[in-house]
Amino acid sequence: MSVRASDKMIEVLEKWGVNNIYGLPGDSVDTTIDALYRAQDKIKFTHVLHEEVAALAASAHAKLTGKLGVCLSIGGPGAIHLLNGLYDAKMDHAPVLAILGQVQSKLLNTDFFQEVDTPVLFDDVAVYNKIIMDPQSLPRIADEAIRTAIAKKGVAVLTIPDDIPAHMIKDNFTPSVDKFKLDDYKVDDDKIKAALEMMKIHSNPIVLAGVGIKNAKAETKEFIEKYKLPIILTMPAKGLVDDDHPYNLGQLGKLGTKPAFEMMQKADLVIMLGTDYPYAPYLNKKVDAIQVDINADRIGKRRHINLAIQGDTKEVLSRLNALGEPVKERHFLDLAVSKMGQWRSWMHDVYTKKHEGVLPSLMFHNISKSAPSDTVWSIDVGTSTAFGARFLTAKSSQMYTISAWLGTMGCALPGAIAAKMDMPDRPVYAIAGDGAFSMVMQDFATAVRYNLPMLFVVLNNKLLAFIEYEQQSAGQQNYGISLPSIDFAKFAEACGGIGERITTDKEFSEAIEKYRNPEKPVLLDVAVNDEAPLPGKIMMDEAHGYAKFGLGHVIDKKSLPELPPMKEILRSFL
């Protein structure tokens, strides 16, 4: 029996559970699009308006669900546009398959129109990267690409000349999905007992947890409560333990809290759970450390490790919880809880300070307080990330997605589209600055087109605000950071959605209640104040930078720069 190579490839994807592909059609991929047309009752094709959005949405799908995300584009310019979203997937360890068109095989290497050497172009981003030259091999290689993307939690790229999928092939390939199984690492009791002994002899242990605890939220909560351990969560792991849990110290680093920084420095044992936290200077390398991770190549990558446990975090924590004796009290935890209470009091002072218009910190606090318990948050890069880290109180019953390692602006809208596609019954809240939103704003029309009700908040201050403070902390004068004045509310209406211009805190509070259950995509164009996203702990080099900026401003502008309240600066610095 014979079948079109394209139809067989789509059958392979469907067997692996793929039910949605993000992308744009075009000449070099139209034979694959034609196969999707024939299989539209099995796999949805979501036609976005920019390939970057397709790749970012596929990446967000993988991060939110743990399942394979798929994007598709023509070769040449379309493939190039995919790269940004695929690097987001690579760096956040999200399994994604990218299907790229290419000129017909007979035209390869002739410098034909839109011919780009995609296997070379995608070499760095991909864990699997093949060009298909034999139609009979297409389903087998597609199956292999999917297996590799899932096993290595990375990007698989298939470049397919447009004539290849149209060929008839023998229908003799069976996908390997039923035989596929991830490596199962057995952890012996000696490692578990050694970890418990280290925890017993150290009086000041602290936990740093990453997305590796995503499937072990209950076990992590039991672990920190049983052994009285303060916990720090990396930014992409925000909310995996409730932000308002008394043992949760928030994040570490420039977007983190002061208690997280201080208690990490006071710790005598660091327990790293499922994280490849990159900011090594914050890790307190002077003390002992335990690291638990499923990937051996991440163990010991950032600092010296005394005890390495390779294994599934859920299993390791379950056995630690079962075998150890509970700790009745720990003075180190008491100090951490006390410091965190003071920090929350300081943050209350920040978002309740006197102001005019809309204060970003208060806006984030209010939307967090109002959001349903099953909200999916899609947060963009910039001040949205900073204020989200500080003033959104995420719950373990919610989901939180960002571009963590690549930190690419424009990720919130694709993330919201993917979230609503994957979880149509859950409320989706997305927040982006005006700079980030304007990079991908055309695809708000995609959210409208596919009837994806969501609440999208744009912080509109006509400024690249996070870069403003980056320049200042480096001692540089602000330059090139202003943005054009855009009425995003009218834009949303022009796309067929709902748009409202917000100019006061009261209007914002009323709007988030009004659109708690929207029937179509809603965009709130919020005229926010330029509020400084100060680090939780201002380091000495940053203090020198701010001083240099202030002096330069006086010399250049003949006036003092506008600064955050001195009380906020001193609390972060001292």
Side-chain angles (χ1 to χ4, degrees):
M1 184 176 175
S2 296
V3 64
R4 284 189 186 89
S6 58
D7 291 336
K8 191 64 179 179
M9 179 181 69
I10 297 303
E11 179 189 317
V12 169
L13 268 61
E14 192 259 333
K15 293 292 185 184
W16 277 95
V18 174
N19 58 15
N20 191 9
I21 296 177
Y22 295 93
L24 275 80
D27 57 356
S28 65
V29 78
D30 277 344
T31 50
T32 299
I33 293 291
D34 194 39
L36 285 171
Y37 167 75
R38 290 189 291 274
Q40 58 186 290
D41 61 329
K42 297 177 181 178
I43 297 180
K44 184 181 182 68
F45 176 62
T46 301
H47 176 195
V48 298
L49 301 178
H50 196 289
E51 291 90 353
E52 180 179 0
V53 171
L56 285 169
S59 178
H61 165 85
K63 286 187 272 189
L64 287 167
T65 68
K67 299 178 181 178
L68 183 78
V70 184
C71 55
L72 171 152
S73 85
I74 66 169
I80 293 167
H81 283 162
L82 286 177
L83 268 173
N84 192 54
L86 295 181
Y87 267 101
D88 176 74
K90 172 191 174 176
M91 297 179 74
D92 282 357
H93 309 292
V96 169
L97 172 67
I99 299 172
L100 312 180
Q102 181 56 283
V103 300
Q104 293 186 13
S105 53
K106 66 182 180 181
L107 298 173
L108 284 170
N109 303 314
T110 66
D111 297 327
F112 196 71
F113 174 68
Q114 291 190 334
E115 183 186 359
V116 170
D117 192 347
T118 49
V120 172
L121 181 66
F122 286 80
D123 183 63
D124 179 61
V125 79
V127 296
Y128 187 94
N129 184 16
K130 301 284 187 182
I131 183 168
I132 311 298
M133 297 304 294
D134 173 23
Q136 188 66 48
S137 69
L138 177 55
R140 175 185 61 79
I141 294 177
D143 183 76
E144 189 173 272
I146 292 170
R147 289 201 316 269
T148 306
I150 295 171
K152 295 187 176 182
K153 294 185 179 180
V155 175
V157 178
L158 294 182
T159 299
I160 310 173
D162 193 44
D163 58 305
I164 296 292
H167 283 266
M168 301 301 291
I169 62 173
K170 293 179 181 178
D171 189 5
N172 59 3
F173 179 77
T174 301
S176 63
V177 59
D178 293 333
K179 300 176 182 178
F180 178 76
K181 186 179 180 182
L182 293 172
D183 290 335
D184 185 14
Y185 298 97
K186 299 296 182 183
V187 180
D188 59 49
D189 282 345
D190 289 343
K191 291 261 186 177
I192 300 296
K193 291 175 182 177
L196 291 170
E197 182 62 24
M198 286 185 68
M199 290 163 55
K200 187 175 181 179
I201 64 176
H202 290 82
S203 58
N204 297 356
I206 195 166
V207 175
L208 176 66
V211 292
I213 68 165
K214 187 173 184 178
N215 296 321
K217 291 187 285 187
E219 291 79 7
T220 302
K221 184 171 180 288
E222 181 183 352
F223 179 65
I224 63 173
E225 291 177 350
K226 181 171 184 174
Y227 299 112
K228 299 291 187 291
L229 303 169
I231 186 170
I232 299 168
L233 295 170
T234 64
M235 193 64 242
K238 180 179 171 67
L240 295 181
V241 174
D242 291 348
D243 275 345
D244 58 4
H245 190 288
Y247 298 2
N248 190 343
L249 305 184
Q251 279 67 60
L252 185 66
K254 291 183 183 297
L255 301 181
T257 70
K258 191 172 183 179
F261 175 84
E262 292 179 338
M263 298 311 293
M264 175 61 77
Q265 297 306 309
K266 293 178 183 293
D268 59 6
L269 174 66
V270 179
I271 305 169
M272 299 172 66
L273 302 176
T275 179
D276 189 24
Y277 182 78
Y279 299 103
Y282 288 95
L283 283 178
N284 189 357
K285 297 182 180 181
K286 299 177 182 178
V287 301
D288 292 339
I290 300 169
Q291 186 170 3
V292 179
D293 207 294
I294 195 72
N295 295 301
D297 60 346
R298 295 181 198 163
I299 294 177
K301 183 177 179 181
R302 305 296 177 182
R303 54 153 297 156
H304 171 72
I305 300 298
N306 300 82
L307 177 62
I309 304 178
Q310 184 183 7
D312 177 68
T313 306
K314 183 181 181 74
E315 180 191 351
V316 173
L317 288 176
S318 295
R319 294 171 71 182
L320 286 168
N321 292 337
L323 294 178
E325 294 296 324
V327 173
K328 293 183 179 180
E329 62 177 2
R330 194 183 297 277
H331 295 303
F332 182 67
L333 174 66
D334 296 338
L335 177 61
V337 170
S338 174
K339 284 181 175 291
M340 202 60 194
Q342 183 182 53
W343 172 262
R344 291 191 175 103
S345 175
W346 288 353
M347 293 304 99
H348 179 270
D349 289 348
V350 171
Y351 65 73
T352 58
K353 61 177 174 262
K354 290 183 179 180
H355 64 277
E356 295 180 357
V358 182
L359 189 68
S361 56
L362 180 59
M363 186 198 84
F364 275 79
H365 169 76
N366 285 338
I367 196 171
S368 173
K369 187 171 62 174
S370 170
S373 60
D374 60 344
T375 295
V376 181
W377 298 100
S378 184
I379 308 299
D380 221 303
V381 168
T383 52
S384 301
T385 313
F387 285 114
R390 199 69 49 81
F391 298 103
L392 276 183
T393 304
K395 301 177 176 65
S396 59
S397 59
Q398 298 175 335
M399 301 184 80
Y400 200 92
T401 184
I402 60 171
S403 176
W405 278 61
L406 183 62
T408 183
M409 294 170 67
C411 64
L413 179 58
I417 290 171
K420 203 64 185 177
M421 284 281 189
D422 294 329
M423 295 162 278
D425 295 330
R426 294 183 68 161
V428 173
Y429 286 15
I431 307 176
D434 45 356
F437 180 67
S438 62
M439 291 182 172
V440 295
M441 58 192 284
Q442 76 285 332
D443 271 286
F444 189 80
T446 300
V448 173
R449 176 185 182 186
Y450 288 100
N451 190 26
L452 304 175
M454 62 178 66
L455 182 62
F456 201 102
V457 179
V458 177
L459 285 68
N460 191 348
N461 55 9
K462 306 172 189 175
L463 189 69
L464 294 171
F466 197 82
I467 296 173
E468 174 188 20
Y469 292 100
E470 280 184 338
Q471 290 177 345
Q472 292 178 9
S473 66
Q476 301 159 351
Q477 295 306 299
N478 292 135
Y479 185 67
I481 58 174
S482 62
L483 293 172
S485 179
I486 301 175
D487 191 328
F488 293 109
K490 288 184 178 178
F491 166 78
E493 291 177 354
C495 290
I498 297 171
E500 281 201 21
R501 177 71 170 169
I502 305 295
T503 59
T504 67
D505 295 324
K506 183 173 182 291
E507 288 175 353
F508 182 75
S509 294
E510 291 172 348
I512 58 178
E513 287 304 315
K514 179 180 178 181
Y515 298 114
R516 191 174 176 85
N517 297 296
E519 295 182 355
K520 61 171 65 176
V522 174
L523 188 149
L524 302 181
D525 182 4
V526 186
V528 294
N529 292 341
D530 182 19
E531 184 180 17
L534 290 176
K537 171 65 176 178
I538 296 177
M539 308 300 283
M540 187 59 69
D541 60 336
E542 293 171 319
H544 288 156
Y546 280 120
K548 182 180 177 182
F549 158 73
L551 179 61
H553 190 282
V554 170
I555 294 172
D556 189 39
K557 303 291 197 315
K558 311 301 184 201
S559 65
L560 291 172
E562 291 187 21
L563 295 173
M566 186 55 64
K567 181 167 62 174
E568 292 182 26
I569 295 175
L570 291 176
R571 283 173 172 174
S572 292
F573 180 64
L574 297 178

